Amino acid sequence: MPEDEYSPMTPSQVRQLRDELDSQGKKLVFTNGCFDLLHAGHVRYLNEARALGDAMVVALNSDESVRELKGPSRPINPEHDRAEVMAALRAVDAVVVFGDKRATGLIETIRPHIYAKGGDYTVESLNAEERAALDEAGASIRILPLVPGRSTTKTIQRMNTDGAGDRLRIGVLGSGEGSNFRAILAAIAAGSLQADVCVAISDQADSRFLKTAREAGIPAIHVDGGPNPRRYNDAAQKEIAEHLQRAQVDVVVLIGFMRILKEPTLSLYADRIVNVHPSLLPKYKGANAPQMAIEAGDTETGCTVHLVTAEIDAGRILAKAAVPVLPGDTPETLHGRIKEQEHKLLPGVLAQWKK
Ligand code: GAR
């Protein structure tokens, strides 16, 4: 279709739509926003909002009002394009573009049955003018939760190529809780680690580790490992290497990854695979290291970040942190204390990594 064939609706056309629906006992949902660079978070939100009624109009902020709300570098896409893309979504029946910072005038004209808003708002924190117009129109107000990990601002940050070539591309492998993974993501978000986690791979389909990746919008890949919880067959070993290469990672990080990593990854990423281990290596290699420290009667243990080689927990040590073993410690309490140190040690090692 030629570009100029699409045009958004006028507010009075939407009012007609609302009146038609009303006469059939049906409900019009209204929502508004900038909707620059559409992402999956928008689509999910819009689907949920549409499900509240029988048709939905989206009021898009005009370019000028987006600039007022978000600053001079926004929007990325001009209003006509944003309206055309928005109108093509399954959840959207009509689009209007409005120039004010607030949607008050539109609400007064359209008188929607349901007003949906996403995010951190509460009914009380809505703009007072908009709230009054909604009350006057008898609209019911529905606040829908934000979809975590998806935002236009984040997308723009990721796309911003200034310095992106210097950022470390990390691939993570894990089997369990993923607390170290979240510590890495927190360090990236805080700006203390200039990196991106580009892929997360696990042998456990339902692990918190993979859930963490999904929530952060990171490709989350389950590689089935078969019945032996410590081993991967050759096909699975190859699959892992392919995923890492496809994601173009600079460094591979094993965090609580309980299967033994072998070729071809070991050679492809020689000296570029790190593991975090809950003991002061070379003491207590393998599984259950916190329990071994307790059983040995040690008063101190800790964690180690080291390079991964074919020999288990034996590669070059990059950093260690000590932790006291306290009277009455169980393997769980001690491991919890060790993890607190791991959460600082591992992002710290990665922050120093030279590409
Ligand atoms: C970490 O404590 C790590 O040191 C350990 O698994 C835990 C994973 O926790 N790794 C090993 O024991 C490897 N032999 P997390 O999933 O919460 O990051």
Side-chain angles (χ1 to χ4, degrees), residues 175-182 209 255-258 275-278 286-289 303 313 335 338-339 342-343:
S175 307
E177 274 299 300
S179 69
N180 280 287
F181 183 8
R182 287 186 290 284
F209 175 87
I255 26 192
F257 186 62
M258 299 319 263
N275 180 42
V276 57
H277 183 78
N288 307 321
C303 50
D313 298 332
H335 198 173
I338 294 170
K339 279 194 184 189
E342 292 181 344
H343 297 165

Side-chain angles (χ1 to χ4, degrees), residues 99-173:
D100 301 336
K101 257 164 70 176
R102 304 280 164 222
T104 318
L106 270 185
I107 294 166
E108 284 166 357
T109 307
I110 295 173
R111 301 181 70 80
H113 301 97
I114 297 156
Y115 175 83
K117 188 88 191 160
D120 317 329
Y121 289 88
T122 60
V123 173
E124 290 68 36
S125 70
L126 285 179
N127 173 266
E129 268 183 30
E130 286 181 355
R131 173 79 199 276
L134 289 165
D135 287 346
E136 204 280 318
S140 84
I141 302 173
R142 303 292 296 270
I143 309 292
L144 302 175
L146 266 186
V147 178
R150 307 286 189 293
S151 81
T152 301
T153 307
K154 260 184 123 181
T155 308
I156 292 171
Q157 277 169 2
R158 271 203 298 270
M159 288 170 66
N160 185 355
T161 47
D162 288 351
D166 301 334
R167 291 168 76 82
L168 191 66
R169 294 179 66 83
I170 298 175
V172 290
L173 275 72

Side-chain angles (χ1 to χ4, degrees), residues 31-355:
T31 191
N32 62 291
C34 302
F35 296 102
D36 203 0
L37 288 189
L38 279 189
H39 52 73
H42 288 139
V43 176
R44 288 180 217 171
Y45 163 75
L46 291 168
N47 285 341
E48 268 188 60
R50 170 66 174 74
L52 298 171
D54 302 289
M56 180 164 73
V57 55
V58 179
L60 273 184
N61 285 91
S62 68
D63 291 351
E64 205 184 317
S65 65
V66 176
R67 269 191 291 280
E68 257 182 83
L69 289 161
K70 307 259 178 190
S73 62
R74 299 280 295 276
I76 303 290
N77 286 311
E79 62 195 39
H80 185 279
D81 288 27
R82 287 185 286 123
E84 189 172 345
V85 172
M86 178 61 74
L89 294 185
R90 195 181 56 212
V92 178
D93 301 275
V95 177
V96 284
V97 177
F98 69 111
D100 301 336
K101 257 164 70 176
R102 304 280 164 222
T104 318
L106 270 185
I107 294 166
E108 284 166 357
T109 307
I110 295 173
R111 301 181 70 80
H113 301 97
I114 297 156
Y115 175 83
K117 188 88 191 160
D120 317 329
Y121 289 88
T122 60
V123 173
E124 290 68 36
S125 70
L126 285 179
N127 173 266
E129 268 183 30
E130 286 181 355
R131 173 79 199 276
L134 289 165
D135 287 346
E136 204 280 318
S140 84
I141 302 173
R142 303 292 296 270
I143 309 292
L144 302 175
L146 266 186
V147 178
R150 307 286 189 293
S151 81
T152 301
T153 307
K154 260 184 123 181
T155 308
I156 292 171
Q157 277 169 2
R158 271 203 298 270
M159 288 170 66
N160 185 355
T161 47
D162 288 351
D166 301 334
R167 291 168 76 82
L168 191 66
R169 294 179 66 83
I170 298 175
V172 290
L173 275 72
S175 307
E177 274 299 300
S179 69
N180 280 287
F181 183 8
R182 287 186 290 284
I184 291 173
L185 295 177
I188 292 172
S192 57
L193 173 56
Q194 303 297 315
D196 295 298
V197 178
C198 302
V199 66
I201 301 170
S202 181
D203 56 327
Q204 303 297 325
D206 299 325
S207 54
R208 181 104 193 272
F209 175 87
L210 276 192
K211 193 163 173 256
T212 298
R214 276 185 223 108
E215 284 173 358
I218 294 166
I221 294 165
H222 169 231
V223 175
D224 194 358
N228 185 331
R230 296 277 174 268
R231 309 234 166 238
Y232 258 144
N233 60 29
D234 289 351
Q237 295 284 356
K238 200 161 160 262
E239 196 184 331
I240 287 178
E242 282 165 5
H243 287 303
L244 294 169
Q245 286 188 297
R246 202 169 299 141
Q248 300 183 348
V249 306
D250 300 310
V251 57
V252 180
V253 185
L254 308 189
I255 26 192
F257 186 62
M258 299 319 263
R259 300 204 188 223
I260 299 166
L261 189 65
K262 294 192 173 172
E263 297 297 352
T265 302
L266 289 185
S267 297
L268 284 169
Y269 292 93
D271 293 335
R272 292 189 291 145
I273 309 172
V274 297
N275 180 42
V276 57
H277 183 78
S279 77
L280 295 172
L281 288 173
K283 269 188 158 182
Y284 313 132
K285 296 175 179 174
N288 307 321
Q291 188 177 343
M292 288 191 226
I294 291 173
E295 282 168 4
D298 291 356
T299 54
E300 187 182 74
T301 182
C303 50
T304 306
V305 176
H306 65 95
L307 291 176
V308 173
T309 57
E311 196 183 333
I312 304 222
D313 298 332
R316 182 156 64 86
I317 288 171
L318 303 177
K320 287 189 199 187
V323 161
V325 182
L326 300 179
D329 256 340
T330 62
E332 290 73 30
T333 58
L334 178 57
H335 198 173
R337 198 174 309 119
I338 294 170
K339 279 194 184 189
E340 284 173 23
Q341 291 306 313
E342 292 181 344
H343 297 165
K344 295 181 215 155
L345 196 68
L346 182 59
V349 167
L350 295 170
Q352 299 298 317
W353 196 273
K354 300 273 174 283
K355 274 178 81 172

